[in-house]
Amino acid sequence: MLRLTKKADYGLIALKYLAEQSTNGAQSAKDIAEAYHIPPQLLAKILQTLAKSGLLVSHAGTNGGYALARSAHDISAFEVIRAIDGPLFITSCITIHGTCDLHGTCTIKEPLRKVNDSIKELLSGIRVSDLIEPIEDSPAAALAGGLVSIAL
Amino acid sequence: MLRLTKKADYGLIALKYLAEQSTNGAQSAKDIAEAYHIPPQLLAKILQTLAKSGLLVSHAGTNGGYALARSAHDISAFEVIRAIDGPLFITSCITIHGTCDLHGTCTIKEPLRKVNDSIKELLSGIRVSDLIEPIEDSPAAALAGGLVSIAL
DNA sequence: AGCAACTCCGACCGCATTGGTCTTGCTTAC
DNA sequence: GTAAGCAAGACCAATGCGGTCGGAGTTGCT
Ligand code: FES
Ligand code: FES
């Protein structure tokens, strides 16, 4: 259930790496790929997507590479996933026609949308800076992540 | 992102319908399918899966059909989704080998697991009975759904 | 009991999406 | 000028989802 695509997974790994190495200037796609043993060409394409979305800045040429466009503290996991996997959402009702086949008959559409929003809130509360140093169950953790209440 | 399969969607619809019609005895898969204009054979298979998972009880023969195994108040959305889509989780690292290719190198595995757990908690707090009468933003809603705090 | 209708059940198949690769071209530093 | 690196597109293989088919079992009626 609720599978996150591998591309998004790779994207988050790369983001985290770039956040850690932010002092060393730009990092090439090849370097990141080798550091984690993931297909270089695939990661390159992912980074391009992220760059087009404005999350990364790219610099071509020798000693070029990618760097974070904003501070690691200011990039949410939700943005990353949305940039890579597109605005797909939990309601599978998005067919090619743009709308669900069961336009009026589906009765659980609205409750699921609420759930969807909650998950969105949850992911928006997670920033890449949080991935670097996993804050254990400290009081600050609840504050950092935020509280998500699900109301049907 | 985070797409819920159409099967699970159909399953939830069926569960809701069965909960509403619980007084009228068992309902056949064909009846439910026609009520919502979804492929009958497909829904049949979904109901079979749910029956095998113990969420529904099936009764063959004339005037047979399916009925809820437990009270609608006691079946969570999480159980339904898990029964249909299997125990797939947000970490896409479950290859055919059973474990991720990046066994030690992946650094975001643990944070994502926490997120996964939070979503699980969220879905577990939603019961089929909640789908029937959508409780608007009442104070009881927060109580019913529970509060989910995400702590990395 | 025998029959017929009805419903569940398991196996099967086409297709969309995803993960991954290759080729080509453009930009920049040295 | 040349090598390092990004950018962009087409292209391919496989997983798994959505959907379909025929069969086995059960119930109610005569
Ligand atoms: S199937 Fe379209 S809203 Fe549920
Ligand atoms: S890719 Fe396996 S844990 Fe992230």
Side-chain angles (χ1 to χ4, degrees):
Chain A
M1 54 163 277
L2 294 172
R3 185 181 44 211
L4 184 61
T5 72
K6 220 164 194 174
K7 287 187 194 176
D9 200 354
Y10 289 161
L12 284 173
I13 297 179
L15 260 289
K16 172 178 180 297
Y17 182 83
L18 284 175
E20 287 172 339
Q21 307 286 335
S22 58
T23 54
N24 300 18
Q27 301 287 324
S28 80
K30 202 185 94 184
D31 289 344
I32 308 180
E34 283 177 355
Y36 291 99
H37 307 104
I38 58 190
Q41 316 244 31
L42 178 57
L43 185 93
K45 202 161 65 170
I46 297 172
L47 292 177
Q48 287 170 29
T49 310
L50 257 43
K52 253 193 298 188
S53 305
L55 290 172
L56 293 180
V57 286
S58 62
H59 198 64
T62 318
N63 285 355
Y66 293 93
L68 296 178
R70 295 177 245 157
S71 159
H73 214 73
D74 204 28
I75 300 179
S76 73
F78 176 72
E79 290 179 278
V80 180
I81 296 172
R82 179 180 199 124
I84 296 177
D85 284 353
L88 318 180
F89 274 120
I90 201 175
T91 48
S92 60
C93 314
I94 319 158
T95 72
I96 44 176
H97 309 91
T99 176
C100 178
D101 302 349
L102 331 168
H103 50 289
T105 52
C106 182
T107 51
I108 61 168
K109 193 175 181 175
E110 192 57 20
L112 277 189
R113 208 186 52 76
K114 295 276 179 58
V115 175
N116 195 18
D117 284 353
S118 298
I119 296 179
K120 174 184 159 188
E121 285 286 327
L122 187 97
L123 287 173
S124 299
I126 300 175
R127 295 180 278 277
V128 287
S129 57
D130 296 333
L131 296 177
I132 298 179
E133 22 186 300
I135 323 162
E136 288 306 324
D137 302 28
S138 71
L143 235 157
L147 283 168
V148 183
S149 74
I150 156 76
L152 294 176
Chain B
M1 54 162 282
L2 295 171
R3 185 180 44 211
L4 184 59
T5 72
K6 219 164 196 173
K7 288 189 193 175
D9 201 354
Y10 289 159
L12 284 173
I13 297 178
L15 260 289
K16 172 178 181 296
Y17 182 83
L18 285 174
E20 287 171 340
Q21 307 286 335
S22 58
T23 55
N24 301 15
Q27 302 287 325
S28 79
K30 201 183 98 187
D31 290 344
I32 309 179
E34 284 177 355
Y36 292 98
H37 308 104
I38 58 187
Q41 315 247 27
L42 177 57
L43 183 93
K45 199 162 70 169
I46 297 173
L47 294 176
Q48 290 166 29
T49 309
L50 289 173
K52 255 193 297 186
S53 306
L55 291 173
L56 294 179
V57 286
S58 64
H59 199 66
T62 319
N63 286 356
Y66 293 93
L68 295 179
R70 294 177 245 160
S71 160
H73 213 73
D74 204 28
I75 300 179
S76 73
F78 175 71
E79 290 179 278
V80 181
I81 296 172
R82 179 182 199 125
I84 294 177
D85 284 353
L88 318 181
F89 274 119
I90 201 177
T91 47
S92 60
C93 318
I94 318 159
T95 71
I96 43 173
H97 310 91
T99 175
C100 178
D101 302 349
L102 333 168
H103 49 289
T105 54
C106 182
T107 51
I108 62 167
K109 192 175 182 177
E110 192 58 19
L112 278 188
R113 207 186 53 76
K114 295 273 175 63
V115 175
N116 195 20
D117 284 353
S118 297
I119 296 178
K120 174 184 159 187
E121 287 286 326
L122 188 98
L123 288 173
S124 299
I126 301 174
R127 294 181 278 279
V128 195
S129 56
D130 295 335
L131 296 178
I132 299 179
E133 18 188 302
I135 324 162
E136 288 304 325
D137 303 26
S138 71
L143 236 157
L147 284 168
V148 183
S149 74
I150 157 73
L152 293 178

